[in-house]
């Protein structure tokens, strides 16, 4: 499952994976639905777009600042 993939990729414990998923769920970046004994997580594309737009704006401001140095 997702937890095993995240643990393998990032080398963190199952409790840490659960904590990160909880934060992502509470902030609306992922949706979760129970499916039997597991929970299925899916990224919310609208929230990811909002984050991407925010990062793009930040990147633009940093570039502008660097041009005026």
């Amino acid at each position: 499952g997702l937890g095993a993939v995240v643990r393998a990729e990032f080398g963190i414990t199952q409790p840490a994976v659960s904590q990160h998923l909880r934060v992502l769920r509470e902030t609306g970046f992922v949706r979760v639905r129970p499916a039997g004994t597991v929970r299925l997580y899916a990224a919310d594309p609208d929230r990811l777009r909002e984050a991407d737009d925010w990062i793009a704006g930040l990147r633009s401001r940093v570039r502008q600042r660097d041009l005026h140095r």
Side-chain angles (χ1 to χ4, degrees):
L2 177 62
V5 171
V6 172
R7 283 194 315 271
E9 183 70 24
F10 298 103
I12 62 176
T13 65
Q14 178 60 49
V17 171
S18 295
Q19 173 69 18
H20 283 77
L21 289 173
R22 182 177 67 80
V23 169
L24 290 170
R25 188 177 67 246
E26 289 176 352
T27 57
F29 282 95
V30 297
R31 297 181 189 136
V32 62
R33 81 178 157 87
T37 60
V38 298
R39 293 179 178 197
L40 300 177
Y41 286 83
D44 182 329
D46 293 332
R47 290 290 288 159
L48 294 175
R49 261 190 297 282
E50 288 173 21
D52 190 45
D53 291 346
W54 183 84
I55 292 168
L58 179 61
R59 189 177 296 123
S60 176
R61 288 188 298 277
V62 168
R63 284 190 192 123
Q64 287 298 317
R65 182 199 66 201
D66 290 347
L67 286 174
H68 295 101
R69 283 187 167 186

